[in-house]
Structure formats: C-alpha cells, structure tokens
Amino acid sequence: MYGTWHGLTHQPQFQTGTMILLSDGRVMVQEEATPHWHALTPDSAGSYLNGTWSTLADMRFWRRYYALGMLKDGRIILIGGEQNGDFPDTNKGEIYDPVADTWTPIPTPPLPKIGDASCCVLPDGRFMVGYIDDVDCVIYDPVTNGWSAAGKKHVRSNEETWVLLPDETIVTINCIAPHQNKPEKYVIGANAWKVEGVQPVAMIDPVMSEIGPGMLMTNGKVIFFGSDNAVDPAAKTTHGRTVIYTPPANPTGTGTWKEGPRIPHVGGDTIVCNDCPATLLPNGKVLFSGAPWEFKDWGQPIYMFEYDPDTDTIAHAPTPPNNHAQVFWSRFMLLPTGQVLFSPSSGDVQCYTPVGGPKEAWRPTISAIVPSGSSDSYLVKGTQLNGLSQANMYGDDCCPATNYPLLRLRNTATNRIYYARTYAFSTMGVATGASLQSARFTLPPMPYGNYDLCVVANGISSHCIDFCHRPRKRCCCPEPEAPSCVCERCAEEACCCGQREIDPVISELKAEVRSLQNSVRRLASLVTADEAAHPPKESKKADVAAGGKTKK
C-alpha cells in the first residue's frame, strides 16, 4: 500500500524554494531566487493541507543552493549560495531568529567560497561545512559566534551528502574525480576524517559528479541513492544503483558496504538520483525522488519511489501532479503530522500522506514536564526526543534535517491544536536510545485548561500525557476579598477554575500585522529584476551543455 498526494487548499502565491521546519511547527519557505521568506502555519485542527501563509523578514540578498540547519536554540543558520545576489559561491552567512523575525549576519569563515557546500549540525550544536574547492572543513560555534578549523578530508567535499550517525560520526561518498565512489567518515570526537571501506558498485555519474540523498534508517543502516546509470551485464540494461552502509561497533572502526536494490525503470527509462531529496517516513520506509538519466543533464519528469528496508526493495510510488520539472528542483519537507510536502520550486505544493505508522520502539518518550522560568516556559525530559535520523535529506544544495523535538498540544475541550516553541535542545544527535534528553518549550497564547501534550520528532509522536495549562502562582478564581490576588495555593490546585482564557485571536492579529509590515517593506523596495542577477532554471542545463558546470 502506498500513500496519496493532495494539493494544498491555499497554494502559495509565489514560486517555492527551500523549506525548513521551524521548532514552533511552522514551515519556513524561501521564495525562489529572492531574499523573501514565507511561513506555512497549520490550521486549528493541525492540518498543513489547510494551512495559511504569512510573510517573514527578508534575508540580506537572494541565494539558492546553500548550507543550512537548525541550531540548538531554535534559530536557523544559513550560509553560502552557489547562485546569489552577492558573488559566485558566496561565503557570507546569516542566522534567522523566528521569535524576533530578524536575520543577523555571522562572521565569514576562513574559506573564500562556500556556495552549495555540504554541511551538518553536529550533536553538540556546532555547524560544520566543507570547502567546495579543497579538502578543508570549518566549524561554526554559535556560542562564540566564531569559526575554527575541522579535520581535513582526503578529497574535497563538493557535491557530497553528509549523513550523521548515532555514534557521532558522519559518513559520505566522494563525488569528484579521480576519487569518485570512495567513502569517507568524519569522527567528531577525534576531529578527523578516515577512509571508510570500499563500495561494491559505482554510484557517481562520471560526467555529472552528482549523487542523490543518503538516509540513516530505523535499522541503524544508511542507504545512498546513486546517479550513475550502471550497466547490468546479465540483463544488458542500465539501472540507477543504491548502496547500504552498516556502521561498525566502534566509531573509529570501519563499516561495511553492500549493493542495495536497483531503482526500477519507469516507462522503459533508467531512473537515477542526481541532486534530489529523500524523507524517512514514520512507517520506516524511505520516500525519494528520481528522474530519467540524461547525458550531462538533470532528467525530468520527477518520479517518486519508496524503499522498504524490511524487504530490501524499491517500488514506484504514486506520482504527484506537479512533477514536470528537472529533478534538482525537488524539495521535500517532513511535517510533524508524518506527511511530506513536495514542490519542484513551483507555486504548486503537494502533500504526501503515507500508509502505516511507526513501531512503538521508534517513538519519543516523555518522562517529565518541569516548569521553568516564566509562567509559559517549561522543560521537557525524555528519550529519543530528536528522533532516529536526520530524516529529511537532500545533500549539498539543501539540508533541512528535522532531528529536533517539536511539542504539540490538543485542547481536550475544543480539540484545537497548538504548537509550542522548542529550543535549548540538549543534543542535536540522532537515535540517542535510552539516554535522557531535554528541551525547553514556551507555550503560545492559548486558553487555560486541560491538554493532551506530546513530543514529535521526524513526524513520529510520543504517547500523549495530560497537561494542565493554568496561571502560575496566581489565583485561578479571584476571591471577593482579593480580586487580583497572588498566592501559592493555585500553583498546587488540580487545574483552573472556570477555564479562564486568554484569547489567542489577539496573538494571531499581532502576527498578521507583522506579516503585513514585511509585505509593505517588500513592496516598497520592489525593483525590476535583472535577468543576469537571477539565473533561470535553464542556465544550469545550458552551462553543462557548454562544457561548464553551474554546480561545482
């Protein structure tokens, strides 16, 4: 059984680009080839299909194909841009604060180019990026707001997909000749890269030098999807290939590789994955996109597939109606509902609802909710709060991993859904097992009352617990002799008298005003775009055909 596709009720009035999930449940979406960003907010029932759009603050200049990630404090870091409004392969970066709705520049790293560099948020919250022209890697520390050198690779990291593993290592496959198809692994604790065994089959198109996504799965293994149209001598046909990596028992050891299933043909065409996304579904399968192989080009249209690790098979999944584009424009976003948004950088966003749910062992667990600081701030403790994988992967062009906890609340009286804002994650690791993890969360404006509270990681929800939202250290029912009393008694009461409410409409109106202010500023600065400053999608194809490569 496969999932189904449905278009958003309220489609964006712009061409979508990169999408990343904010820790307050909104999806942050770039407007293609502009500095503009927007937010998709689920409706009161928690539906993203029926969600609404608002405008966010602009970043400093437009860019596409860059490194990004979620920091431990809930902010978004973004650096580079293969194509941009600054200079080719810019090394400038900035951080987005979703609370203040502001962008802040960060110091430039000690690398002249970043472009579409491979990247990864490390378990301790630092952010590592590679150098597209050499073997250097650098690490940004958000605490010190500075850069430091990381271990050097054996081969430059351009075009690679970096996959974070539970043992705090990062595995990748080299893409650039003459070292194509040679795996490497970064041992974070040793700050060093090592050669990581030998692949059984070629994965990299020798001309395109591209690869598809890699994905850590629920069984602890990693699957990589290849771009080479390898020949099968027995069948005398070509197929896109996959390889599966099994990590060693010790982080400094060497894992093993085996050939995975071949990507099925569609309409007689050989399907490959050169620059495209994958998502780990809550049911344990891997949804990924691919397209017909083309010489010196990115194929189209875009097709969807599901890899099942239980049967070690790949099947052609239903095709969304917005698939008529080259595959590198594909963008996925794994939602807290377990659904997946897909858009090929267009104004048509489709949502995939998979069949089946998670195994019990995959769920986050909640061990405690502890009041912290202000009246609406808490600490959640539990296990597997970050999920079992980065789960939402692409590679060097787009890195919107979702390995961080979200917190969802359902009002038991009205069934309305709210998302708290999570931050101060104890780790950005994956598959942390039985070790206790934590995160802080701040409640949104919502009525006092009883709620079902759950933690969601990678679209998989914990079991809900009862949560009573009430004023802290205030009288829930003002007494005649003390109509505005402040007392300890209410802090220990079972819950709030009379379901006293704070109307969330006020907060929503404030958010709408801020969104309108962004739109007004955007209109005021609107100028006619220079075609040379905004390379069209065809420029990538034209550059390759002319013997050059837009993608380094």
Side-chain angles (χ1 to χ4, degrees):
M1 295 290 292
Y2 301 104
T4 54
W5 291 98
H6 298 280
L8 299 186
T9 301
H10 307 291
Q11 290 288 358
Q13 301 303 302
F14 58 92
Q15 303 294 301
T16 61
T18 291
M19 299 182 279
I20 188 167
L21 182 64
L22 296 176
S23 69
D24 60 10
R26 294 177 296 164
V27 179
M28 182 178 178
V29 183
Q30 184 186 6
E31 183 174 334
E32 164 61 23
T34 76
H36 309 327
W37 287 83
H38 305 259
L40 175 64
T41 302
D43 70 3
S44 61
S47 170
Y48 288 84
L49 275 170
N50 297 320
T52 55
W53 293 94
S54 59
T55 57
L56 302 177
D58 289 353
M59 57 184 169
R60 287 185 294 167
F61 53 83
W62 78 272
R63 55 181 105 201
R64 59 158 77 103
Y65 320 133
Y66 42 77
L68 84 160
M70 168 72 73
L71 298 175
K72 287 178 72 173
D73 59 8
R75 297 180 300 163
I76 303 297
I77 186 169
L78 182 155
I79 186 168
E82 180 181 333
Q83 299 169 6
N84 59 79
D86 184 38
F87 62 86
D89 293 312
T90 182
N91 64 353
K92 293 180 181 178
E94 46 196 314
I95 289 178
Y96 178 70
D97 183 338
V99 178
D101 188 29
T102 57
W103 292 88
T104 302
I106 60 175
T108 55
L111 299 177
K113 295 180 180 179
I114 294 295
D116 58 343
S118 303
C119 69
C120 183
V121 177
L122 305 181
D124 64 8
R126 296 176 299 156
F127 183 59
M128 185 169 77
V129 297
Y131 183 23
I132 58 177
D133 285 347
D134 210 336
V135 297
D136 297 304
C137 297
V138 293
I139 296 176
Y140 174 75
D141 188 336
V143 176
T144 63
N145 192 32
W147 294 89
S148 61
K152 295 179 183 291
K153 291 184 82 272
H154 295 80
V155 180
R156 66 188 178 106
S157 59
N158 194 24
E159 304 297 346
E160 294 176 358
T161 296
W162 290 359
V163 181
L164 179 65
L165 303 182
D167 62 2
E168 299 198 351
T169 62
I170 296 170
V171 67
T172 189
I173 296 174
N174 295 320
C175 296
I176 305 301
H179 305 286
Q180 289 173 328
N181 300 299
K182 294 183 179 179
E184 284 192 66
K185 182 172 73 175
Y186 178 66
V187 182
I188 298 172
N191 191 26
W193 289 88
K194 67 181 290 290
V195 175
E196 189 63 9
V198 179
Q199 288 171 218
V201 293
M203 292 285 288
I204 313 300
D205 184 309
V207 177
M208 296 290 289
S209 299
E210 302 278 6
I211 193 171
M215 184 65 66
L216 172 65
M217 298 177 289
T218 55
N219 59 13
K221 299 179 181 181
V222 178
I223 185 168
F224 284 91
F225 301 93
S227 63
D228 187 31
N229 64 329
V231 177
D232 181 347
K236 296 182 180 179
T237 58
T238 59
H239 282 271
R241 301 294 181 98
T242 66
V243 292
I244 296 175
Y245 170 75
T246 301
N250 188 297
T252 58
T254 300
T256 58
W257 298 84
K258 74 169 188 176
E259 182 178 1
R262 295 165 185 174
I263 302 172
H265 290 171
V266 177
D269 290 328
T270 297
I271 306 299
V272 297
C273 301
N274 51 345
D275 270 353
C276 55
T279 291
L280 180 63
L281 300 174
N283 60 19
K285 297 179 181 180
V286 180
L287 176 72
F288 69 98
S289 64
W293 177 87
E294 291 189 25
F295 181 65
K296 288 186 178 181
D297 204 357
W298 290 262
Q300 62 179 318
I302 301 165
Y303 296 113
M304 299 294 169
F305 303 85
E306 284 191 10
Y307 169 69
D308 187 341
D310 290 338
T311 60
D312 194 29
T313 57
I314 294 175
H316 186 196
T319 301
N322 60 342
N323 71 322
H324 299 288
Q326 288 181 293
V327 70
F328 70 85
W329 293 108
S330 303
R331 295 292 184 271
F332 283 173
M333 189 66 254
L334 176 59
L335 300 173
T337 58
Q339 298 166 300
V340 182
L341 296 181
F342 164 69
S343 177
S345 302
S346 73
D348 184 351
V349 180
Q350 296 288 315
C351 184
Y352 187 68
T353 303
V355 173
K359 296 180 180 179
E360 281 299 306
W362 302 347
R363 295 185 185 277
T365 69
I366 300 173
S367 61
I369 301 291
V370 182
S372 175
S374 69
S375 61
D376 291 329
S377 179
Y378 296 83
L379 180 74
V380 57
K381 297 180 180 180
T383 63
Q384 296 187 165
L385 300 186
N386 289 52
L388 304 181
S389 169
Q390 290 162 298
N392 200 72
M393 299 290 288
Y394 185 110
D396 62 327
D397 284 358
C398 175
C399 311
T402 58
N403 55 309
Y404 40 90
L406 276 72
L407 197 136
R408 185 169 59 213
L409 302 108
R410 181 184 67 85
N411 187 296
T412 57
T414 64
N415 287 323
R416 177 162 181 165
I417 299 296
Y418 299 86
Y419 281 93
R421 181 181 72 87
T422 56
Y423 59 99
F425 312 126
S426 61
T427 182
M428 295 303 293
V430 294
T432 51
S435 64
L436 193 66
Q437 307 297 333
S438 67
R440 296 189 182 279
F441 67 90
T442 300
L443 296 176
M446 62 186 198
Y448 293 136
N450 294 309
Y451 288 82
D452 286 334
L453 178 152
C454 64
V455 170
V456 181
N458 297 334
I460 297 177
S461 172
S462 70
H463 290 297
C464 293
I465 64 171
D466 294 332
F467 177 79
C468 179
H469 176 40
R470 61 175 180 261
R472 204 179 301 165
K473 294 187 177 181
R474 290 194 54 161
C475 288
C476 303
C477 301
E479 299 174 358
E481 65 274 16
S484 59
C485 68
V486 177
C487 59
E488 295 294 331
R489 176 180 60 81
C490 290
E492 299 176 358
E493 285 183 348
C495 200
C496 314
C497 306
Q499 298 291 304
R500 189 173 133 199
E501 296 188 355
I502 294 177
D503 192 347
V505 173
I506 296 174
S507 176
E508 293 175 2
L509 287 173
K510 288 180 179 178
E512 289 180 11
V513 168
R514 187 165 60 183
S515 178
L516 287 171
Q517 288 172 336
N518 286 333
S519 298
V520 169
R521 285 194 293 268
R522 198 165 287 173
L523 289 171
S525 62
L526 189 63
V527 295
T528 302
D530 184 348
E531 285 295 324
H534 292 226
K537 296 180 181 180
E538 291 75 13
S539 68
K540 197 166 194 176
K541 178 176 180 179
D543 287 349
V544 172
K549 285 181 69 66
T550 298
K551 294 183 62 53
K552 306 298 184 297

